[in-house]
Amino acid sequence: MAGDLSLWTPLLLPLVFTWIVPVLAHEHHGADLTEEELHAPVDAILWMHIALQAIVWGFIFPVGMVLGLARSKWHVPVQSLAFALTFGGLILGHAHGGRQFPSSVHSHIGSWILIPIFAQLGLGIYLKLHIHERTIRPYAVRAHGILGRVWPILGWVQGLFGVITLRGFCGEVGAGQCAAHYIMGSGFIAYGVIMALLLVVGDNWVRRSGRSPEWWDSWVIMLWGIVNTFTEHHGGEWSVKDMQHTILGILWWAGGALGIFLSRNNQRNVVPGVIIILTGWAMSDHAQALMLSTKVHSMFGYSLMLAGFARIIEVCFIPPTSSPLSETPPLDDNDSEHTLTHPAPKDVGIATKINAARAFRHLPPFLLVASGLLFMSATDEELNAVHESGMDHVTYVLSMYSIAFLFYLLTVFLLHLYSTSGRNALSAQQPSVIFSAEGIELSGPTGSSKWYAPLPRGERRSAAAHVLGEDEDD
C-alpha cells in the first residue's frame, strides 16, 4: 500500500494544485458591487456549492473521523472521497454567477481552510507510508488525530458564516447580537452532544476520571459565567437586557462554584440542572420587540427548563448503567451509591429498568440541542425576516425542532457507528480503553476483529456448545 501511495502521490498533488490555484488567485469582492449584483438570484452553481459542502462537512467528514477513531479500514477511502468533493466545492464557490457577495469572514476562511486541509491530507499520506516508525511517526499520529477532531468544529463555524453571508445577516448593527446568540446557542448544542457522547461511549472515562459528570458541567458553567458577567455591558446606561444578561453570568459562576464543591468525592448533584431551569425561566420571560420573537424566546426557555428537569430526574431517579458496549461490571473505582460505578445486573427486572434508563437519558441532550438551535434562530434579523415572510411562531418553532431531530439523529448515528465499526465490531464482553488523547478516553471491547482473532488453545477445549440461532452472522 505504501508503495502504491508513493507512486501516485507525485501525480495527484499537481492535479490538486491545478484545481486550487484558481481558488487562491480569486479576488474577493469588495464594496464596488452594484445593487443589481447584490440582489441577483442565487444561481445553480452556488446552490451546488452549498449542497455539496453541507454534505461533505456535515456528514462525510464526521463519518470518516469516527471511522478513524474506530481504526476502521474504511477511514482512508471515506476521507479521500471527502477531500476530493470539498476541493470541488471550493471551486464551485468561486465560479458561481448570479448574486455576488462582499468580502466576508466566510470567504476568507474558505481560502485559509486550505492550510488545515493540506496539512491533514499530507499527514494522512505520510502515515500510510509507515516510515520513521520510532522518530517522527508518533508525533504525526498525534497531530493527525488532533487536527481530525477539530474538523467538525471547523465545518460548523464555516457553515454558520456561510448562512450569515447568504442571508446578509449580522452587519455592523446586528453583529453583537449574532455573536451572543450563535456562541451561546452553539454552546448548548455542544453541551448536548458531549452529554450524549458520555452516555453512549464515554462512561468508562467518567469512572476512571474519578469525577462525576456534574463536576465537569459545573466548571464549564462557572467559567462561562465569569466571562458573561464582564462582557454583557459595554458602558453607558444599563438597559434591562444588560442587567438580565449580567445577572445570568453571576448566577452561572455562583451556581457553578456550588456544583464543583458538591461534586467532590465523585458525588452527583442537581445544581447544573437547577441552573439550566433558572436560565430557561429567565429566557421564557425575556420581553422582545416582536410578538413572534417573544414566542420563540419563550419556547427556547421552556425547552431549556424541560432539559433541566430531565437532568435532575436522571441524576436523582434513573439508575446508573454501564456502556452499551459492555455488559460486564465497570472498573473498580472509588464509588458510592451516588456515582455511576455499579455492576451490570443479571436480574431481568433490573435489566429492564436499565433499558428504560438508557432511553430516558437521551432526553436531556436532545432538549439541549433543540434549545441551542432555537436560540441561534432567534436574532432580531432572523425573526424580522420570518415575520415579513408571513410565517407564524408555531411553524418556525416546529421547523427548528425538526432540524434538532435530524441533528441529534446524526449525533447518535455517529456514536453508534463508532460502537459497531473497526475494532469495536468485535462482540467481546470485556471493556477496555481503546483510544486516549490528552485525557479523553472512549471505551470499547478488547481484541481485534472477530474474523481474524484466533481462539486460544485453552478455550478451544472449554468453549461452550453453540446453540443454533444464537449469534448467527448470516
Side-chain angles (χ1 to χ4, degrees):
M1 182 66 180
D4 295 339
L5 282 172
S6 60
L7 174 65
W8 284 101
T9 299
L11 301 176
L12 291 176
L13 287 181
L15 179 60
V16 170
F17 277 110
T18 27
W19 293 346
I20 297 305
V21 167
V23 174
L24 293 174
H26 178 81
E27 183 178 353
H28 294 291
H29 303 292
D32 56 343
L33 295 173
T34 65
E35 287 294 321
E36 183 179 358
E37 290 175 321
L38 289 172
H39 297 92
V42 176
D43 70 346
I45 294 178
L46 185 57
W47 284 120
M48 290 170 60
H49 161 78
I50 294 170
L52 184 61
Q53 296 294 57
I55 293 171
V56 171
W57 289 88
F59 183 73
I60 302 180
F61 268 135
V63 167
M65 179 194 72
V66 169
L67 292 174
L69 289 174
R71 302 295 189 268
S72 170
K73 64 181 180 180
W74 293 102
H75 167 67
V76 173
V78 171
Q79 293 298 69
S80 300
L81 173 64
F83 278 121
L85 291 177
T86 201
F87 285 139
L90 285 169
I91 296 171
L92 291 174
H94 291 80
H96 69 88
R99 184 182 303 176
Q100 302 299 314
F101 303 91
S103 182
S104 64
V105 177
H106 179 73
S107 62
H108 289 298
I109 293 180
S111 297
W112 285 105
I113 206 172
L114 294 172
I115 296 175
I117 284 177
F118 280 120
Q120 188 70 335
L121 187 60
L123 285 169
I125 294 173
Y126 171 79
L127 292 176
K128 272 299 177 181
L129 297 176
H130 290 280
I131 57 177
H132 310 124
E133 295 282 348
R134 299 193 177 186
T135 54
I136 301 175
R137 181 179 170 82
Y139 299 99
V141 170
R142 181 176 293 271
H144 187 66
I146 293 174
L147 196 55
R149 288 164 188 81
V150 174
W151 233 241
I153 300 174
L154 191 61
W156 176 261
V157 171
Q158 178 67 338
L160 284 181
F161 281 120
V163 174
I164 290 170
T165 302
L166 179 66
R167 299 303 305 273
F169 292 154
C170 306
E172 294 182 2
V173 177
Q177 188 187 52
C178 282
H181 277 248
Y182 290 163
I183 292 173
M184 186 175 292
S186 298
F188 282 125
I189 294 172
Y191 188 5
V193 170
I194 293 172
M195 188 183 296
L197 186 149
L198 293 178
L199 292 177
V200 178
V201 293
D203 56 340
N204 196 28
W205 172 76
V206 172
R207 295 188 189 95
R208 291 172 64 89
S209 71
R211 305 289 186 181
S212 68
E214 290 72 37
W215 188 85
W216 303 99
D217 294 356
S218 298
W219 268 106
V220 173
I221 291 171
M222 187 185 74
L223 294 175
W224 186 260
I226 292 172
V227 173
N228 205 74
T229 299
F230 299 101
T231 57
E232 289 298 330
H233 179 64
H234 305 287
E237 294 290 332
W238 281 77
S239 66
V240 174
K241 287 187 177 182
D242 286 346
M243 289 187 284
Q244 288 181 346
H245 292 165
T246 301
I247 197 60
L248 278 175
I250 296 173
L251 171 77
W252 294 339
W253 65 253
L258 174 62
I260 293 171
F261 181 77
L262 294 178
S263 298
R264 68 194 190 283
N265 299 326
N266 202 16
Q267 301 295 305
R268 304 202 69 182
N269 68 86
V270 299
V271 171
V274 173
I275 294 174
I276 293 173
I277 292 171
L278 292 174
T279 304
W281 169 77
M283 291 299 175
S284 68
D285 204 24
H286 206 40
Q288 303 293 317
L290 287 175
M291 180 58 68
L292 172 66
S293 182
T294 301
K295 293 287 188 180
V296 173
H297 275 81
S298 296
M299 192 59 191
F300 160 64
Y302 297 150
S303 300
L304 211 53
M305 292 169 69
L306 187 56
F309 280 120
R311 185 67 191 276
I312 290 175
I313 293 172
E314 183 261 324
V315 171
C316 297
F317 303 108
I318 301 299
T321 64
S322 60
S323 170
L325 296 175
S326 171
E327 293 298 330
T328 57
L331 299 174
D332 186 17
D333 283 341
N334 183 22
D335 60 345
S336 74
E337 68 273 13
H338 300 291
T339 69
L340 300 178
T341 52
H342 286 265
K346 298 180 180 179
D347 182 77
V348 175
I350 299 178
T352 302
K353 292 181 180 179
I354 285 186
N355 289 333
R358 287 175 179 164
F360 183 86
R361 282 186 167 185
H362 282 288
L363 184 59
F366 167 73
L367 289 170
L368 285 170
V369 169
S371 300
L373 287 170
L374 280 171
F375 194 60
M376 292 178 69
S377 64
T379 65
D380 290 343
E381 289 176 305
E382 290 171 316
L383 294 177
N384 281 330
V386 173
H387 178 70
E388 292 173 0
S389 70
M391 185 185 297
D392 68 337
H393 68 281
V394 175
T395 305
Y396 189 64
V397 168
L398 293 181
S399 300
M400 293 302 108
Y401 259 88
S402 300
I403 297 174
F405 279 123
L406 294 175
F407 188 94
Y408 196 71
L409 169 63
L410 175 63
T411 301
V412 294
F413 167 75
L414 292 174
L415 296 177
H416 172 75
L417 181 66
Y418 171 81
S419 303
T420 57
S421 63
R423 58 183 176 182
N424 294 340
L426 175 64
S427 58
Q429 297 298 315
Q430 181 64 31
S432 69
V433 176
I434 65 173
F435 163 72
S436 177
E438 300 296 334
I440 300 176
E441 297 173 355
L442 301 179
S443 60
T446 58
S448 58
S449 171
K450 63 180 180 180
W451 303 111
Y452 302 106
L455 186 66
R457 292 183 177 180
E459 295 185 10
R460 292 176 187 173
R461 301 187 184 94
S462 60
H466 177 68
V467 179
L468 187 64
E470 294 184 0
D471 300 327
E472 290 295 330
D473 294 319
D474 296 327

